[in-house]
Every structure is written in structure tokens, then in C-alpha cells.
Amino acid sequence: MISAAVLASSAFTASAQSRSIPIVRDAEIEALVTDYTTPILNAAGLGNRRIGTVLVNSQSFNAFVDGRRIFINTGALLQSETPNEIIGVIAHETGHLAGGHQDRLREQLKQAKTMAVIGMLLGLGAGIAGAATRNSAIAGAGGGIAAGGGEVAMRSLLSYQRSEEAAADRSAINYLNKTGQSAKGMLTTFERFASALSISGTQVDSYRISHPLPRDRIANLETLARQSPNFEKKDPESLQVRHDLARAKIAAYSGGLGSIQRIFRNNPRGLGARYGDAIYTYLNGNPRNALPKIDVLIKEQPKNPYFREMKGEILLKANNPAGAATEFKQAAALDPRKSSLIRMSYGRALMLTGNKANMEAAIRELKAGVVRDPEFSEGYGYLAQAYGQSGQMGLSDLATADQHYYAGRINEAKIFATRAQTRLKSGSPDWLRAQDIINTKTKKK
Ligand SMILES: [Zn+2]
């Protein structure tokens, strides 16, 4: 399992932005998933809705659209052998969204804690289910769901109807056709769920319960899928390589060596297997042993920003922040997405050099990062340290206040905002930001 403690200081971090849902932040995987979802959303006419992607740190297979965001479990990426398999599931979820099948769900979301319901749909466990079932409206709707047994009942309450499943399948095939992709992967995934031999029993249950898979649905889906001229079409090789690299990273963080070896059993010396090995060595061994492994990969793909980013992480662990800063800077320059995560890593490495001459640049990079990505609360933590090292204590306190604020710790945020105000010029924009935090209403527990 990926644990927040292991991930807190790495490129691949679990954020505490939501208390119920363990979110994974990673520039490489986020860019890949965005490339999977964007063409599908455009084909569905939803391209202008600015639907975001959230990676959920869970081994189980799930994907879920709530109207504003697409949630994808890292386990779903890990279990999908090709991009096409997960793209098919995204297309199906988009079909539910475009078809307005979520009206009932929206009703439920209005009444319950949104994150709690989403957590339940994603199969994230009883703690979250308990939070939702304490809501009397939900308990009533489910016919008096008792805590504990509530999870399954709740999920079936929120499950799609058979007619909606058929409609979502048809829409999905339409989007895949429009984007020149095969529906074979979707069929493969759903056949796997429908078969008794599903990979890990309970792990796929949450998706299976919310998306009923009777035999005739699979049969209809297969007929439609085979009618497409794209049925035998494969994913572009470059996309498959990126998919394998993302799976290698997830496996290294969550499953360990055995998982990497299992995924790449047919290509044990391929790029994915070696990337997984380099990351695993960095996480669990001596970072100095990981360095030559990542260097070989950089030599093979000198323009891959994420190999450079990983080298930066390895150098940080090897207590070489100056070297890490050089790598992160190159990664940021190579990154076509301009991920704020990579910029913040660059800023963090500059800050960690402890060299006063680097602090201005560190603050610049970290500020640019948190402005674009304020919910990544760790970014404010690094910014607070950089301000502290450059002697700007008021701004350091304010950044700490923001770190707590975006992590949902409002009381702690207010303490630091109050202290920041004593050190900031009254009425200045920063002082006013502190006042906003002080004025935040605290939610009742
Ligand atoms: Zn469905």
C-alpha cells in the first residue's frame, strides 16, 4: 500500500486535501490520465466543462465521474494492461455523465457529505460509509441503513439502472469511434468483471455494484464493439510506453518488486520494468544505487521530464539538493504540461540547499506552484520554510496558515494567520489574506 508517510516527501504524494479520500499527486500520471480523458470529453461535447482528474490512492479497480471531476483509482491503472482498457471505462463513465444518469446521485450528494458518498462509490471502506450513513436523509432513503452494513446498501442505492448501463455503453462506443479508438479494451475490462474469475474478489465489488453487469449487457456490448472499424486497432506505441511507465511507478510505490515483476513478466528488461526497479531501489534501498539505474533511462529518453524529476527525487534523498535542483529545473523545462508539481519540486530543492542566494528563486517557483495548485497544501509548507530561511517571518506564518487551511485544518490555520497579522503591514494584501482565514467559518463536527 502507498502510505502517506512514505509519500510525503516525494514526487508521488498522497495529499491530505480531503480527509476521506486519499489522493495521489503525480505529474507523470496526471498528464497521462488527462491525455486519456480529454479526447473522450471533447467527443461527448463536455470539453468546455473543465472537468478535472483526481487520482485516488486505492488498489481496487474504480473510476467515477461526479460532474466536475473524474476520479480514477491507481488500482484501475495498474490493472489495465493497455491504455485502451482504462480509456474504455472512462468513456463509459462519461456516457453516464453526458446522459444525465446522475440526477439521483446528485440528490444524494446534496444531502450527504459529498466526499463521503464519493468515497463509498470508490469502495474506500467503512469509515467513510459510516460518515455518510450518519446522515438521516440518506439512512431514510436506504430504508434505515445501519452503520456497518450500510456500505453495500448505499452503493446499490447509488447504482445505475440497466437501461442507463446500456445507454452508457452505446455512448462510450460512440465516443471511442469519434476518437478513432477501439471498444475492445472496455469489453475486456467488463468481461473481466463479469467473470467469476475476477482478479481479487472483493476488490472489484465497488465498481461491479454500481455498474450491474448482466450477461446480456456484455453480449450487446460485444456486438456493438465488433461493428466498429477500429475494433482491432491498437493504442499508439508511445502511449502504451507511457502507460507502462505509469504502472511501473504505481507498482513500485504500492506493490513492490513482486508487483513490478508480475506486470512486466513478458518484458522484464523493458523500459517499464527498469523504471519500476529504479523507483523501487530509490524508495527501499540506497539512493546511490538508484542513480545509475535512472541515468540509463535518461540516456535512452533524454527528453522525458519525469525521468529527470525522478532523478531529482533520488538526489534529494541522497542529500544533494543542489544536484536535485538542476534536475528539477531541466524537468520543468522539458515538461510540455508545465506541471506545478515539478515547479514546486524545483523550488523545494532550491530551498533545501539552505543557500541564501537561492531563496528568492525558491520562493518564486513555490509561489508560482501554489497559485496554480493551491490545494496541494504541502507546497505552502515548503513556501513557509523558504520565507523563514530568508527572514520573512510574517509571510512564513501566512504560508503555514495557508498550508493548514488547504489541508482542512481551519483552527490551526487561524492560529498562524493571527500570528502572521502581527508581523504584516496592516491592510496589505497579505494581511487581508490572513484576515480571510481568520474569518473562515469553522464547520460543525
Ligand atoms: Zn455504468
Side-chain angles (χ1 to χ4, degrees):
M1 260 315 284
I2 302 175
S3 84
V6 171
L7 298 170
S9 61
S10 78
F12 188 96
T13 50
S15 163
Q17 80 185 60
S18 145
R19 278 170 188 170
S20 343
I21 300 191
I23 289 165
V24 171
R25 297 300 312 273
D26 180 78
E28 178 173 29
I29 304 173
E30 287 175 6
L32 181 68
V33 170
T34 301
D35 285 346
Y36 290 166
T37 56
T38 304
I40 296 292
L41 291 169
N42 287 339
L46 300 171
N48 57 0
R49 279 215 213 165
R50 303 177 65 88
I51 292 171
T53 307
V54 180
L55 290 169
V56 181
N57 182 10
S58 171
Q59 302 273 67
S60 68
F61 190 106
N62 220 329
F64 166 69
V65 186
D66 82 340
R68 288 189 297 129
R69 295 156 297 191
I70 297 180
F71 294 83
I72 297 178
N73 285 7
T74 49
L77 289 166
L78 202 59
Q79 291 173 41
S80 298
E81 293 192 357
T82 64
N84 190 242
E85 287 180 23
I86 187 71
I87 290 169
V89 173
I90 292 166
H92 175 88
E93 292 304 308
T94 305
H96 282 307
L97 178 62
H101 302 162
Q102 294 179 312
D103 294 347
R104 268 179 307 130
L105 177 62
R106 256 194 295 276
E107 267 316 297
Q108 303 298 343
L109 292 178
K110 241 189 265 170
Q111 297 177 37
K113 293 176 182 165
T114 309
M115 279 297 162
V117 175
I118 290 169
M120 193 151 17
L121 284 161
L122 291 168
L124 292 176
I128 298 161
T133 49
R134 274 199 295 277
N135 181 299
S136 60
I138 286 289
I145 300 167
E151 198 181 346
V152 169
M154 180 73 190
R155 275 193 259 127
S156 55
L157 177 74
L158 294 175
S159 76
Y160 294 107
Q161 288 158 8
R162 288 176 69 137
S163 59
E164 293 171 336
E165 286 303 332
D169 286 341
R170 281 195 304 275
S171 301
I173 288 176
N174 181 18
Y175 309 148
L176 292 165
N177 283 341
K178 270 193 191 171
T179 53
Q181 301 181 91
S182 171
K184 198 178 197 172
M186 178 168 67
L187 185 63
T188 303
T189 301
F190 288 161
E191 274 177 341
R192 203 171 67 212
F193 289 152
S195 83
L197 296 168
S198 64
I199 333 125
S200 49
T202 56
Q203 291 213 341
V204 294
D205 275 348
S206 50
Y207 194 83
R208 226 176 353 197
I209 289 170
S210 52
H211 300 263
L213 274 157
R215 209 165 285 277
D216 59 335
R217 180 182 155 205
I218 299 286
N220 287 338
L221 180 59
E222 180 164 8
T223 306
L224 285 170
R226 286 187 181 278
Q227 284 167 2
S228 162
N230 302 319
F231 187 68
E232 294 298 342
K233 197 168 163 184
K234 295 259 181 297
D235 296 299
E237 180 57 27
S238 59
L239 199 65
Q240 181 70 51
V241 169
R242 288 175 62 200
H243 187 76
D244 286 341
L245 293 175
R247 292 172 81 211
K249 186 182 267 180
I250 294 167
Y253 274 89
S254 62
L257 269 188
S259 174
I260 298 165
Q261 283 160 357
R262 214 163 30 249
I263 292 171
F264 299 109
R265 60 190 174 278
N266 295 326
N267 192 7
R269 293 309 303 155
L271 204 62
R274 287 180 291 132
Y275 188 41
D277 179 46
I279 299 171
Y280 183 83
T281 306
Y282 146 70
L283 287 172
N284 300 286
N286 186 332
R288 291 182 203 287
N289 295 336
L291 272 180
K293 294 180 177 179
I294 199 74
D295 277 336
V296 171
L297 298 178
I298 290 173
K299 216 171 167 191
E300 282 176 49
Q301 285 201 354
K303 297 207 164 147
N304 187 322
Y306 312 113
F307 290 169
R308 296 270 177 195
E309 183 193 22
M310 186 50 67
K311 186 174 180 185
E313 292 296 336
I314 295 168
L315 287 169
L316 275 187
K317 196 176 179 187
N319 284 322
N320 180 357
T326 305
E327 296 301 324
F328 286 131
K329 187 180 185 181
Q330 288 210 47
L334 289 167
D335 175 19
R337 300 257 169 205
K338 303 290 165 218
S339 167
S340 48
L341 294 175
I342 296 180
R343 280 195 86 165
M344 285 191 269
S345 291
Y346 176 40
R348 175 172 52 121
L350 287 170
M351 179 269 290
L352 288 170
T353 63
N355 183 344
K356 291 256 182 296
N358 286 336
M359 287 312 140
E360 196 182 310
I363 289 167
R364 181 192 65 224
E365 295 301 316
L366 288 165
K367 253 182 114 167
V370 295
V371 164
R372 277 187 53 183
D373 204 341
E375 292 194 344
F376 184 69
S377 58
E378 289 89 337
Y380 280 104
Y382 307 137
L383 184 59
Q385 290 181 55
Y387 277 130
Q389 290 205 35
S390 63
Q392 302 179 72
M393 301 321 288
L395 290 172
S396 178
D397 283 340
L398 181 59
T400 304
D402 269 318
Q403 181 189 8
H404 287 300
Y405 177 85
Y406 285 108
R409 298 184 295 265
I410 303 301
N411 289 330
E412 289 89 336
K414 288 183 182 196
I415 292 167
F416 281 94
T418 304
R419 200 168 89 178
Q421 278 198 333
T422 66
R423 293 164 158 168
L424 294 166
K425 187 167 174 265
S426 179
S428 67
D430 293 316
W431 186 93
L432 290 171
R433 169 64 192 148
Q435 190 61 44
D436 282 346
I437 293 173
I438 292 165
N439 291 343
T440 307
K441 286 203 182 97
T442 319
K443 274 181 236 147
K444 267 184 271 174
K445 285 257 161 101

